[in-house]
Amino acid sequence: MMAALTSKPVDSKGNIGTEGPHRKDMPPIAVAASQGASEMAEVKGDWVLFHPVYTPDEMKAVEVMHRDAKNMSDRVAVLFVWLLRKGFDVVSRYKHKDVPPNNSMSLEELRKRGYTMDESQWLSRCLFLESVAGVPGMVGATLRHLRSLRVLRRDSGWIHTLLEEAENERMHLMTFMTIKKPGLFFRTLILGAQGVFYNLFFFSYLVSPKTCHRFVGHLEEEAVLTYTRCIAEIEAGRLPEWSNKPAPEIAKDYWRLSSDATLLDVLYAIRSDETTHRFVNHSLANLDHETDVNPFAFREPDMHVKGKKLGFEKDEAEKYVQESHKMLEKAAREKDAEARSH
């Protein structure tokens, strides 16, 4: 008998698969096909889409990068990211000044002079950022879904990737919510920002999906920069409350982290996610949204590519799709040969 798909408290004890199956958890096709319902009943809980799970080496293979604007669409995207970033900075009281080398200031003095923020300020920044970051993927997926219904054609693989992005950003928010529950005023700010941003992005995507994906690519550049700075602050000892803080259970489960993982490990995973979104959206902005296949519908490059490159150009995306098809065809041939041998 199948287990009930009951919800799970956000920070209760995590077990592999509680937040949904991941590719590394799935049994071989032949094994799965032979198992009965009672044998598959252990997978339960709050289901999530497939998403990247990174090795420790991949998490360190991220570079802070910025794409220069090349045309009017790019310049519009950069302008709106700059405006949004300024708004985020004001609302979340974010500030950053490079700490002078060989300084002898105490942590309290560094914070007083505006060189670094405390844990509460960083949490406000992350909560506000992630509450809005989950909007673009859902808007893009919704509009492409409706378009597919309207024109009676398949979507070429874009919808799933955009939904995965939206859910991934939401899981970032759920993770930070286990550390701090925002008050009424902060929730009101989030509600207002989300309402305005959703509608602006919705109408903008109707006009120019290319500009919108470029906008998200640049926005993710800023997210990678923000989390890189936060990681550096922890490793420099300027966020002592977070130096050995255990990772929330939801994060251990979602990113398949070890049982002794810390918040620092979580931030490395989140930064890797933002790097993935940076790469994907800059790549999608280089494609024709009406005719081109989403190159990430079948697989994604590892972080040694995504962390050091801003995205695929159109010809690179086409080559990547062709390689993916060859891999699928090879796997199908091997499966057929195995079936005949039995």
Side-chain angles (χ1 to χ4, degrees):
M1 183 175 181
M2 290 293 290
L5 297 179
T6 54
S7 184
K8 174 174 175 290
V10 73
D11 200 32
S12 59
K13 179 68 175 176
N15 298 298
I16 294 299
T18 306
E19 297 301 334
H22 187 268
R23 287 183 180 89
K24 66 184 289 187
D25 302 326
M26 301 299 284
I29 295 175
V31 176
S34 67
Q35 291 178 327
S38 61
E39 295 174 88
M40 299 296 291
E42 292 184 5
V43 180
K44 59 184 179 180
D46 305 315
W47 295 78
V48 295
L49 297 169
F50 291 138
H51 58 91
V53 171
Y54 312 99
T55 66
D57 186 47
E58 283 184 297
M59 291 185 187
K60 301 293 177 68
V62 172
E63 295 181 6
V64 174
M65 304 175 70
H66 174 70
R67 184 183 187 277
D68 293 329
K70 299 180 180 180
N71 51 44
M72 182 56 69
S73 175
D74 291 355
R75 286 190 283 273
V76 170
V78 170
L79 172 62
F80 278 99
V81 167
W82 181 84
L83 291 173
L84 190 61
R85 172 68 190 255
K86 290 299 180 183
F88 279 169
D89 291 350
V90 171
V91 171
S92 62
R93 297 181 296 162
Y94 177 83
K95 53 184 178 290
H96 175 79
K97 294 196 300 182
D98 292 328
V99 177
N102 304 317
N103 79 91
S104 58
M105 288 182 283
S106 65
L107 178 57
E108 183 179 358
E109 192 172 1
L110 285 170
R111 289 177 176 176
K112 185 177 180 180
R113 295 191 180 188
Y115 285 108
T116 187
M117 302 192 299
D118 61 25
E119 291 84 356
S120 179
Q121 290 171 314
W122 272 110
L123 265 177
S124 294
R125 172 71 175 183
C126 295
L127 281 167
F128 196 83
L129 175 66
E130 299 299 350
S131 69
V132 176
V135 169
M138 183 59 69
V139 170
T142 298
L143 289 174
R144 292 193 66 90
H145 170 74
L146 294 175
R147 179 179 180 274
S148 178
L149 298 178
R150 192 168 61 250
V151 301
L152 307 178
R153 288 205 308 267
R154 297 186 68 178
D155 177 67
S156 300
W158 289 53
I159 294 173
H160 182 276
T161 294
L162 295 175
L163 284 175
E164 181 183 315
E165 176 184 306
E167 181 184 70
N168 182 252
E169 299 286 12
R170 179 171 58 83
M171 294 300 288
H172 294 176
L173 180 64
M174 296 298 101
T175 297
F176 287 120
M177 286 285 290
T178 66
I179 304 172
K180 177 183 177 180
K181 301 292 190 292
L184 179 61
F185 176 72
F186 196 84
R187 288 174 181 269
T188 303
L189 287 176
I190 289 175
L191 179 64
Q194 195 176 82
V196 171
F197 183 56
Y198 185 96
N199 286 286
L200 285 176
F201 197 84
F202 181 92
F203 289 109
S204 297
Y205 203 93
L206 287 173
V207 175
S208 178
K210 180 182 291 290
T211 302
C212 287
H213 284 296
R214 187 70 72 205
F215 166 85
V216 177
H218 285 297
L219 190 64
E220 298 298 353
E221 291 175 12
E222 296 294 328
V224 172
L225 175 60
T226 294
Y227 285 116
T228 297
R229 287 173 174 172
C230 187
I231 289 169
E233 290 289 276
I234 296 175
E235 293 181 334
R238 291 192 280 268
L239 293 172
E241 293 180 20
W242 287 1
S243 59
N244 291 301
K245 187 176 180 65
E249 293 295 336
I250 188 175
K252 294 178 186 177
D253 190 32
Y254 184 70
W255 285 287
R256 305 302 192 254
L257 301 175
S258 63
S259 59
D260 61 347
T262 65
L263 183 59
L264 180 61
D265 298 317
V266 176
L267 291 174
Y268 267 110
I270 291 176
R271 187 184 67 165
S272 297
D273 283 341
E274 307 295 9
T275 305
T276 294
H277 303 326
R278 180 183 72 182
F279 186 91
V280 167
N281 279 279
H282 275 314
S283 298
L284 295 181
N286 293 332
L287 304 180
D288 186 325
H289 69 278
E290 293 188 353
T291 59
D292 287 341
V293 172
N294 168 24
F296 312 111
F298 304 108
R299 62 189 178 105
E300 287 184 10
D302 66 24
M303 196 52 62
H304 295 287
V305 175
K306 294 184 291 188
K308 303 178 186 302
K309 184 180 176 67
L310 281 169
F312 283 147
E313 296 298 328
K314 186 179 176 69
D315 60 333
E316 293 175 314
E318 291 174 351
K319 181 179 179 181
Y320 193 77
V321 170
Q322 292 169 2
E323 291 172 351
S324 297
H325 283 157
K326 290 178 181 178
M327 292 173 64
L328 289 172
E329 291 167 1
K330 180 181 178 182
R333 288 195 300 270
E334 291 175 349
K335 181 181 176 182
D336 290 342
E338 182 180 357
R340 285 195 298 269
S341 66
H342 287 83

